[in-house]
Amino acid sequence: MDPETVLRLIREALLLVLVLSAIPVLAAMVVGLLVSLFQAATQIQEQTLTVVPKIVAVFLALGIGGLWMLRQLIQFATVLYQNIARIG
């Protein structure tokens, strides 16, 4: 296996991880920002107020985008397994 192939596979895998993790991370970030703005406006500084909406947002994001994420992961694994004879 030549170094270029290894680097290409690692690059594709890391890009896939980045894309797949972006959905829940962005959902948590947006909800965290909105909750922080709400806390700043009302001066309520309860720590659990930030955690629970983020968890709900992440679960909703995974529920909505989970099937697409699973398809992307399966597609990557399928291509990898199909080309494993050529790689090795």
Coordinates of all heavy atoms in Angstrom, one line a residue:
M1 N 0.9 -1.2 0.0 CA 0.0 0.0 0.0 C 0.9 1.2 0.0 O 1.8 1.4 0.9 CB -0.9 0.0 1.2 CG -1.9 1.1 1.3 SD -3.0 1.2 2.7 CE -3.6 -0.4 2.8
D2 N 0.7 2.1 -1.0 CA 1.6 3.3 -1.0 C 1.1 4.4 -0.1 O -0.1 4.4 0.3 CB 1.7 3.7 -2.5 CG 0.3 4.1 -3.1 OD1 -0.6 4.3 -2.3 OD2 0.3 4.2 -4.3
P3 N 2.0 5.3 0.2 CA 1.6 6.3 1.2 C 0.5 7.3 0.7 O -0.3 7.8 1.5 CB 2.9 7.1 1.4 CG 4.0 6.2 1.0 CD 3.4 5.3 -0.1
E4 N 0.4 7.5 -0.6 CA -0.6 8.3 -1.2 C -2.0 7.7 -0.9 O -3.0 8.5 -0.6 CB -0.4 8.5 -2.7 CG 0.8 9.4 -3.0 CD 1.0 9.5 -4.5 OE1 0.1 9.1 -5.2 OE2 2.1 10.1 -4.9
T5 N -2.2 6.4 -1.1 CA -3.4 5.8 -0.8 C -3.8 5.9 0.7 O -5.0 6.1 1.0 CB -3.4 4.3 -1.2 OG1 -2.9 4.2 -2.6 CG2 -4.7 3.6 -1.1
V6 N -2.9 5.7 1.5 CA -3.1 5.8 3.0 C -3.6 7.2 3.3 O -4.5 7.4 4.1 CB -1.9 5.3 3.8 CG1 -2.1 5.6 5.3 CG2 -1.6 3.9 3.5
L7 N -2.8 8.1 2.8 CA -3.2 9.5 3.1 C -4.6 9.9 2.6 O -5.3 10.6 3.2 CB -2.1 10.5 2.5 CG -0.8 10.5 3.3 CD1 0.2 11.4 2.6 CD2 -1.0 11.0 4.7
R8 N -4.9 9.4 1.4 CA -6.2 9.7 0.8 C -7.3 9.1 1.6 O -8.4 9.7 1.9 CB -6.3 9.1 -0.6 CG -7.6 9.5 -1.3 CD -7.7 8.9 -2.7 NE -7.4 7.5 -2.8 CZ -8.3 6.5 -2.6 NH1 -9.6 6.8 -2.3 NH2 -8.0 5.2 -2.7
L9 N -7.1 7.8 2.1 CA -8.1 7.2 2.9 C -8.3 7.9 4.3 O -9.4 8.1 4.8 CB -7.7 5.7 3.2 CG -7.9 4.8 2.0 CD1 -7.3 3.4 2.3 CD2 -9.3 4.7 1.6
I10 N -7.2 8.3 4.9 CA -7.3 9.0 6.1 C -7.9 10.3 6.0 O -8.8 10.7 6.8 CB -5.8 9.2 6.7 CG1 -5.3 7.8 7.2 CG2 -5.8 10.2 7.9 CD1 -3.8 7.9 7.6
R11 N -7.6 11.0 4.9 CA -8.3 12.3 4.6 C -9.8 12.2 4.4 O -10.6 12.9 4.9 CB -7.6 12.9 3.3 CG -8.1 14.3 3.1 CD -7.5 15.0 1.8 NE -6.1 14.8 1.7 CZ -5.5 14.1 0.7 NH1 -6.2 13.6 -0.3 NH2 -4.2 14.0 0.7
E12 N -10.2 11.1 3.6 CA -11.6 10.9 3.4 C -12.3 10.5 4.7 O -13.4 11.0 5.0 CB -11.8 9.8 2.4 CG -11.5 10.3 1.0 CD -11.6 9.1 0.0 OE1 -12.2 8.1 0.3 OE2 -11.2 9.3 -1.2
A13 N -11.7 9.7 5.6 CA -12.3 9.3 6.8 C -12.4 10.5 7.8 O -13.4 10.7 8.4 CB -11.4 8.2 7.5
L14 N -11.4 11.3 7.9 CA -11.5 12.5 8.7 C -12.5 13.5 8.2 O -13.2 14.1 9.0 CB -10.1 13.2 8.9 CG -9.1 12.4 9.7 CD1 -7.7 13.1 9.6 CD2 -9.5 12.2 11.1
L15 N -12.6 13.7 6.9 CA -13.6 14.6 6.4 C -15.0 14.0 6.7 O -15.9 14.8 7.0 CB -13.4 14.7 4.9 CG -14.4 15.7 4.2 CD1 -14.2 17.1 4.7 CD2 -14.2 15.6 2.7
L16 N -15.2 12.7 6.6 CA -16.5 12.1 6.9 C -16.8 12.3 8.4 O -18.0 12.7 8.7 CB -16.5 10.6 6.6 CG -17.8 9.9 6.8 CD1 -18.9 10.4 5.9 CD2 -17.6 8.4 6.6
V17 N -15.9 12.1 9.2 CA -16.1 12.4 10.7 C -16.5 13.8 10.9 O -17.4 14.1 11.7 CB -14.8 12.0 11.5 CG1 -14.9 12.5 12.9 CG2 -14.7 10.5 11.5
L18 N -15.8 14.7 10.3 CA -16.1 16.2 10.4 C -17.5 16.5 9.9 O -18.2 17.2 10.6 CB -15.1 17.0 9.6 CG -15.2 18.5 9.7 CD1 -14.8 18.9 11.2 CD2 -14.2 19.2 8.7
V19 N -17.9 16.0 8.8 CA -19.2 16.3 8.3 C -20.3 15.6 9.1 O -21.3 16.3 9.4 CB -19.3 15.8 6.8 CG1 -20.7 15.8 6.3 CG2 -18.4 16.6 5.9
L20 N -20.1 14.4 9.6 CA -21.1 13.7 10.4 C -21.2 14.3 11.8 O -22.3 14.4 12.3 CB -20.8 12.2 10.5 CG -20.8 11.4 9.2 CD1 -20.5 9.9 9.5 CD2 -22.1 11.6 8.5
S21 N -20.2 14.8 12.3 CA -20.3 15.4 13.7 C -20.7 16.9 13.6 O -21.1 17.4 14.6 CB -18.9 15.3 14.4 OG -17.9 16.1 13.7
A22 N -20.7 17.5 12.4 CA -21.1 18.9 12.3 C -22.6 19.1 12.7 O -22.9 20.1 13.3 CB -20.8 19.4 10.9
I23 N -23.4 18.2 12.3 CA -24.9 18.3 12.5 C -25.2 18.5 14.0 O -25.8 19.5 14.4 CB -25.7 17.2 11.8 CG1 -25.5 17.3 10.3 CG2 -27.1 17.3 12.2 CD1 -26.1 16.1 9.6
P24 N -24.8 17.5 14.9 CA -25.2 17.7 16.3 C -24.4 18.8 17.0 O -24.9 19.5 17.9 CB -24.8 16.3 16.9 CG -24.1 15.6 15.9 CD -24.3 16.2 14.6
V25 N -23.1 19.0 16.5 CA -22.3 20.1 17.2 C -22.9 21.4 16.8 O -23.0 22.3 17.7 CB -20.9 20.0 16.7 CG1 -20.1 21.2 17.1 CG2 -20.2 18.7 17.3
L26 N -23.3 21.6 15.6 CA -23.9 22.9 15.2 C -25.3 23.1 15.9 O -25.6 24.2 16.4 CB -24.1 23.0 13.7 CG -22.8 23.2 12.9 CD1 -23.1 23.2 11.4 CD2 -22.2 24.5 13.3
A27 N -26.0 22.0 16.1 CA -27.3 22.2 16.8 C -27.1 22.6 18.3 O -27.8 23.5 18.8 CB -28.1 20.8 16.7
A28 N -26.1 21.9 18.9 CA -25.8 22.3 20.3 C -25.3 23.7 20.4 O -25.6 24.4 21.3 CB -24.8 21.3 20.9
M29 N -24.5 24.1 19.4 CA -23.9 25.5 19.5 C -25.0 26.5 19.3 O -25.0 27.5 20.0 CB -22.9 25.6 18.3 CG -22.1 26.9 18.4 SD -20.7 26.9 17.3 CE -21.6 27.0 15.7
V30 N -25.9 26.3 18.4 CA -27.0 27.3 18.2 C -27.9 27.4 19.4 O -28.2 28.5 19.8 CB -27.8 26.9 16.9 CG1 -29.1 27.7 16.8 CG2 -27.0 27.1 15.7
V31 N -28.3 26.2 19.9 CA -29.1 26.2 21.1 C -28.4 26.8 22.3 O -29.0 27.6 23.1 CB -29.6 24.8 21.4 CG1 -30.3 24.7 22.8 CG2 -30.6 24.3 20.4
G32 N -27.1 26.6 22.5 CA -26.3 27.2 23.5 C -26.2 28.7 23.4 O -26.3 29.4 24.4
L33 N -26.1 29.2 22.2 CA -26.1 30.6 22.0 C -27.4 31.2 22.3 O -27.5 32.3 23.0 CB -25.7 30.9 20.5 CG -25.7 32.4 20.1 CD1 -24.6 33.1 20.9 CD2 -25.6 32.5 18.6
L34 N -28.5 30.6 21.9 CA -29.8 31.1 22.2 C -30.1 31.1 23.7 O -30.7 32.1 24.3 CB -30.9 30.3 21.5 CG -30.9 30.5 19.9 CD1 -31.9 29.5 19.3 CD2 -31.2 31.9 19.5
V35 N -29.7 30.0 24.4 CA -29.9 30.0 25.8 C -29.1 31.0 26.5 O -29.5 31.6 27.5 CB -29.6 28.5 26.3 CG1 -29.6 28.5 27.9 CG2 -30.7 27.6 25.8
S36 N -27.9 31.2 26.1 CA -27.0 32.2 26.7 C -27.6 33.6 26.5 O -27.5 34.4 27.4 CB -25.6 32.1 26.1 OG -25.0 30.9 26.4
L37 N -28.1 33.9 25.3 CA -28.8 35.2 25.1 C -30.0 35.3 26.1 O -30.2 36.4 26.6 CB -29.2 35.3 23.7 CG -28.1 35.6 22.7 CD1 -28.6 35.6 21.3 CD2 -27.3 36.8 23.0
F38 N -30.7 34.3 26.2 CA -31.9 34.3 27.1 C -31.4 34.5 28.6 O -32.0 35.3 29.3 CB -32.7 33.0 27.0 CG -33.8 32.9 28.0 CD1 -35.0 33.6 27.9 CD2 -33.7 32.0 29.1 CE1 -36.0 33.5 28.8 CE2 -34.7 31.9 30.0 CZ -35.8 32.6 29.9
Q39 N -30.4 33.8 29.0 CA -29.8 34.0 30.3 C -29.3 35.4 30.6 O -29.5 36.0 31.6 CB -28.7 33.0 30.6 CG -29.3 31.6 30.9 CD -28.1 30.7 31.2 OE1 -27.0 30.7 30.7 NE2 -28.4 29.7 32.2
A40 N -28.7 36.0 29.6 CA -28.1 37.3 29.7 C -29.3 38.3 29.8 O -29.2 39.3 30.5 CB -27.2 37.7 28.5
A41 N -30.3 38.1 29.0 CA -31.4 39.0 29.0 C -32.2 39.0 30.3 O -32.7 40.0 30.8 CB -32.4 38.8 27.9
T42 N -32.4 37.8 30.9 CA -33.2 37.6 32.1 C -32.4 37.5 33.4 O -32.9 37.5 34.5 CB -34.0 36.3 32.0 OG1 -33.2 35.2 31.9 CG2 -35.0 36.4 30.9
Q43 N -31.1 37.4 33.3 CA -30.1 37.3 34.4 C -30.4 36.1 35.2 O -30.2 36.0 36.4 CB -30.1 38.6 35.2 CG -29.6 39.8 34.5 CD -29.5 41.0 35.4 OE1 -29.7 40.9 36.6 NE2 -29.0 42.1 34.8
I44 N -30.9 35.0 34.6 CA -31.0 33.7 35.2 C -29.8 32.9 34.9 O -29.4 32.7 33.8 CB -32.3 32.9 34.7 CG1 -33.5 33.7 34.9 CG2 -32.3 31.6 35.3 CD1 -34.8 33.1 34.3
Q45 N -29.0 32.6 36.0 CA -27.8 31.9 35.8 C -27.8 30.5 36.3 O -26.9 30.0 37.0 CB -26.7 32.7 36.5 CG -26.4 34.1 36.0 CD -26.1 34.1 34.5 OE1 -25.4 33.2 34.0 NE2 -26.7 35.0 33.8
E46 N -28.8 29.7 35.9 CA -28.9 28.3 36.3 C -28.2 27.5 35.3 O -28.4 27.5 34.1 CB -30.4 27.9 36.3 CG -30.7 26.5 36.7 CD -30.3 26.2 38.1 OE1 -30.4 27.1 39.0 OE2 -29.8 25.1 38.3
Q47 N -27.3 26.6 35.8 CA -26.4 25.8 34.9 C -27.2 24.7 34.2 O -26.9 24.4 33.0 CB -25.3 25.2 35.7 CG -24.3 26.2 36.2 CD -23.6 26.9 35.1 OE1 -23.4 26.4 34.1 NE2 -23.3 28.2 35.4
T48 N -28.2 24.2 34.8 CA -29.0 23.1 34.1 C -29.8 23.6 33.0 O -30.2 22.9 32.1 CB -29.9 22.4 35.1 OG1 -30.7 23.3 35.7 CG2 -29.1 21.7 36.2
L49 N -30.0 24.9 33.0 CA -30.8 25.6 31.9 C -30.1 25.5 30.6 O -30.7 25.4 29.5 CB -31.1 27.0 32.3 CG -32.0 27.8 31.3 CD1 -33.4 27.1 31.3 CD2 -32.2 29.2 31.7
T50 N -28.7 25.4 30.6 CA -28.0 25.3 29.4 C -27.8 23.9 28.9 O -27.7 23.6 27.7 CB -26.6 25.9 29.6 OG1 -25.9 25.2 30.6 CG2 -26.7 27.4 29.9
V51 N -27.8 22.9 29.9 CA -27.4 21.5 29.5 C -28.6 20.8 28.9 O -28.5 20.2 27.8 CB -26.9 20.8 30.7 CG1 -26.7 19.3 30.4 CG2 -25.7 21.4 31.2
V52 N -29.8 21.0 29.5 CA -31.0 20.2 29.0 C -31.4 20.6 27.6 O -31.6 19.7 26.8 CB -32.1 20.3 30.0 CG1 -33.4 19.7 29.5 CG2 -31.7 19.8 31.4
P53 N -31.5 21.9 27.2 CA -31.8 22.2 25.8 C -30.8 21.7 24.8 O -31.2 21.3 23.7 CB -32.0 23.7 25.8 CG -32.2 24.1 27.2 CD -31.5 23.1 28.1
K54 N -29.5 21.7 25.2 CA -28.5 21.2 24.3 C -28.6 19.7 24.1 O -28.5 19.3 22.9 CB -27.1 21.5 24.9 CG -26.7 22.9 24.7 CD -25.3 23.1 25.3 CE -24.8 24.5 25.4 NZ -23.5 24.6 25.9
I55 N -28.9 19.0 25.1 CA -29.1 17.5 25.0 C -30.3 17.3 24.1 O -30.2 16.4 23.2 CB -29.2 16.9 26.3 CG1 -27.9 16.9 27.1 CG2 -29.7 15.4 26.2 CD1 -28.0 16.5 28.5
V56 N -31.4 18.0 24.3 CA -32.6 17.8 23.5 C -32.3 18.1 22.0 O -32.7 17.4 21.1 CB -33.7 18.6 24.0 CG1 -34.9 18.6 23.1 CG2 -34.2 18.1 25.4
A57 N -31.6 19.2 21.8 CA -31.2 19.6 20.4 C -30.3 18.6 19.7 O -30.5 18.3 18.5 CB -30.5 21.0 20.4
V58 N -29.4 18.1 20.5 CA -28.5 17.0 19.9 C -29.3 15.8 19.5 O -29.1 15.2 18.4 CB -27.3 16.7 20.8 CG1 -26.6 15.5 20.4 CG2 -26.4 17.9 20.9
F59 N -30.2 15.4 20.4 CA -31.0 14.2 20.1 C -31.9 14.5 18.9 O -32.1 13.6 18.1 CB -31.8 13.7 21.3 CG -31.0 12.9 22.3 CD1 -31.0 13.2 23.6 CD2 -30.2 11.9 21.8 CE1 -30.2 12.5 24.5 CE2 -29.5 11.1 22.7 CZ -29.5 11.4 24.1
L60 N -32.5 15.6 18.8 CA -33.3 16.0 17.7 C -32.5 16.0 16.4 O -33.0 15.5 15.3 CB -34.0 17.3 17.9 CG -35.2 17.3 18.8 CD1 -35.7 18.8 19.1 CD2 -36.3 16.5 18.3
A61 N -31.3 16.6 16.5 CA -30.5 16.6 15.3 C -30.1 15.2 14.8 O -30.1 14.9 13.6 CB -29.2 17.5 15.5
L62 N -29.8 14.4 15.8 CA -29.5 13.0 15.4 C -30.7 12.2 14.9 O -30.6 11.4 14.0 CB -28.9 12.2 16.6 CG -27.5 12.7 17.1 CD1 -27.1 12.0 18.4 CD2 -26.5 12.4 16.0
G63 N -31.9 12.5 15.4 CA -33.1 11.9 14.9 C -33.4 12.4 13.5 O -33.9 11.6 12.7
I64 N -33.2 13.6 13.3 CA -33.5 14.2 11.9 C -32.5 13.8 10.9 O -32.8 13.3 9.8 CB -33.7 15.7 12.0 CG1 -34.9 16.0 12.8 CG2 -33.8 16.3 10.6 CD1 -35.1 17.5 13.1
G65 N -31.2 13.9 11.3 CA -30.1 13.7 10.3 C -29.4 12.3 10.5 O -28.5 12.0 9.7
G66 N -29.9 11.5 11.4 CA -29.3 10.2 11.6 C -29.3 9.3 10.5 O -28.3 8.6 10.2
L67 N -30.4 9.2 9.8 CA -30.5 8.3 8.6 C -29.5 8.7 7.5 O -28.8 7.9 6.9 CB -31.9 8.3 8.1 CG -32.2 7.3 7.0 CD1 -31.9 5.9 7.5 CD2 -33.6 7.4 6.5
W68 N -29.4 10.0 7.3 CA -28.4 10.5 6.3 C -27.0 10.2 6.7 O -26.2 9.8 5.9 CB -28.6 12.0 6.0 CG -27.6 12.5 5.1 CD1 -27.6 12.5 3.7 CD2 -26.4 13.2 5.5 NE1 -26.5 13.1 3.2 CE2 -25.7 13.6 4.3 CE3 -25.8 13.6 6.7 CZ2 -24.5 14.2 4.3 CZ3 -24.6 14.2 6.7 CH2 -24.0 14.6 5.5
M69 N -26.8 10.4 8.0 CA -25.4 10.1 8.5 C -25.1 8.7 8.4 O -23.9 8.3 8.0 CB -25.4 10.6 10.0 CG -25.5 12.1 10.2 SD -25.8 12.6 11.9 CE -24.3 12.1 12.7
L70 N -26.0 7.8 8.7 CA -25.8 6.4 8.6 C -25.5 6.0 7.1 O -24.7 5.1 6.9 CB -27.0 5.6 9.2 CG -26.9 4.1 9.2 CD1 -25.7 3.6 10.1 CD2 -28.2 3.5 9.6
R71 N -26.3 6.5 6.2 CA -26.1 6.2 4.8 C -24.7 6.6 4.4 O -24.0 5.9 3.6 CB -27.1 7.0 3.9 CG -28.4 6.3 3.9 CD -29.4 7.0 2.9 NE -30.7 6.6 3.2 CZ -31.8 7.4 3.2 NH1 -31.6 8.7 2.9 NH2 -33.0 7.0 3.4
Q72 N -24.2 7.8 4.8 CA -22.8 8.2 4.4 C -21.8 7.3 5.0 O -20.8 7.0 4.3 CB -22.6 9.7 5.0 CG -23.5 10.7 4.3 CD -23.3 10.8 2.8 OE1 -22.2 10.9 2.4 NE2 -24.4 10.9 2.1
L73 N -22.0 6.9 6.2 CA -21.0 6.0 6.8 C -21.0 4.6 6.1 O -20.0 4.0 5.9 CB -21.3 5.8 8.3 CG -20.3 5.1 9.2 CD1 -19.0 5.7 9.1 CD2 -20.9 5.0 10.6
I74 N -22.2 4.1 5.8 CA -22.3 2.8 5.1 C -21.7 2.9 3.7 O -21.0 2.0 3.3 CB -23.8 2.3 5.1 CG1 -24.2 1.9 6.5 CG2 -23.9 1.2 4.1 CD1 -25.7 1.6 6.6
Q75 N -21.9 4.0 3.0 CA -21.3 4.2 1.7 C -19.8 4.2 1.8 O -19.2 3.6 0.9 CB -21.9 5.5 1.1 CG -21.3 5.8 -0.3 CD -21.8 7.1 -0.8 OE1 -22.5 7.9 -0.1 NE2 -21.5 7.4 -2.0
F76 N -19.3 4.9 2.7 CA -17.8 5.0 2.9 C -17.3 3.6 3.2 O -16.3 3.1 2.6 CB -17.4 5.9 4.0 CG -15.9 6.0 4.3 CD1 -15.1 6.6 3.4 CD2 -15.4 5.3 5.4 CE1 -13.7 6.7 3.6 CE2 -14.0 5.4 5.6 CZ -13.2 6.0 4.7
A77 N -17.9 2.8 4.1 CA -17.4 1.5 4.5 C -17.6 0.5 3.3 O -16.7 -0.3 3.1 CB -18.2 1.0 5.7
T78 N -18.6 0.6 2.5 CA -18.8 -0.2 1.4 C -17.8 0.0 0.3 O -17.2 -0.9 -0.2 CB -20.2 0.0 0.8 OG1 -21.2 -0.2 1.8 CG2 -20.5 -0.9 -0.4
V79 N -17.5 1.2 0.0 CA -16.4 1.6 -1.0 C -15.1 1.1 -0.5 O -14.3 0.5 -1.2 CB -16.4 3.1 -1.3 CG1 -15.2 3.5 -2.1 CG2 -17.7 3.5 -2.0
L80 N -14.8 1.2 0.8 CA -13.6 0.8 1.4 C -13.4 -0.7 1.3 O -12.4 -1.2 0.9 CB -13.5 1.2 2.9 CG -12.2 1.0 3.6 CD1 -11.1 1.9 2.9 CD2 -12.3 1.4 5.0
Y81 N -14.5 -1.4 1.6 CA -14.4 -2.9 1.6 C -14.4 -3.4 0.1 O -13.7 -4.4 -0.1 CB -15.6 -3.5 2.3 CG -15.5 -3.5 3.8 CD1 -16.6 -3.1 4.5 CD2 -14.3 -3.7 4.4 CE1 -16.5 -3.0 5.9 CE2 -14.2 -3.6 5.8 CZ -15.3 -3.3 6.6 OH -15.3 -3.2 7.9
Q82 N -15.0 -2.7 -0.8 CA -14.9 -3.2 -2.2 C -13.6 -3.0 -2.8 O -13.1 -3.7 -3.7 CB -16.0 -2.4 -3.0 CG -17.4 -2.8 -2.8 CD -18.4 -2.0 -3.5 OE1 -18.1 -0.9 -4.0 NE2 -19.7 -2.4 -3.5
N83 N -12.9 -2.0 -2.3 CA -11.5 -1.6 -2.9 C -10.4 -2.2 -2.0 O -9.2 -1.8 -2.3 CB -11.4 -0.1 -3.0 CG -12.4 0.4 -4.1 OD1 -12.7 -0.2 -5.0 ND2 -12.8 1.6 -3.8
I84 N -10.7 -3.0 -1.0 CA -9.6 -3.5 -0.1 C -8.6 -4.4 -0.8 O -7.4 -4.4 -0.5 CB -10.2 -4.1 1.1 CG1 -9.3 -4.0 2.3 CG2 -10.6 -5.6 0.9 CD1 -9.9 -4.2 3.6
A85 N -9.1 -5.1 -1.8 CA -8.1 -6.0 -2.6 C -7.2 -5.1 -3.4 O -6.0 -5.5 -3.5 CB -8.9 -6.9 -3.5
R86 N -7.7 -4.0 -4.0 CA -6.8 -3.2 -4.7 C -5.9 -2.4 -3.9 O -4.8 -2.0 -4.3 CB -7.7 -2.2 -5.5 CG -7.1 -1.8 -6.8 CD -8.0 -0.9 -7.7 NE -9.4 -0.8 -7.3 CZ -10.1 0.3 -7.4 NH1 -9.5 1.4 -7.8 NH2 -11.3 0.3 -7.0
I87 N -6.3 -2.1 -2.7 CA -5.5 -1.3 -1.8 C -4.3 -2.1 -1.2 O -3.2 -1.7 -1.1 CB -6.3 -0.7 -0.6 CG1 -7.3 0.3 -1.1 CG2 -5.4 -0.1 0.5 CD1 -8.3 0.7 -0.1
G88 N -4.6 -3.3 -0.8 CA -3.6 -4.2 -0.2 C -2.6 -4.7 -1.1 O -1.7 -4.5 -1.7

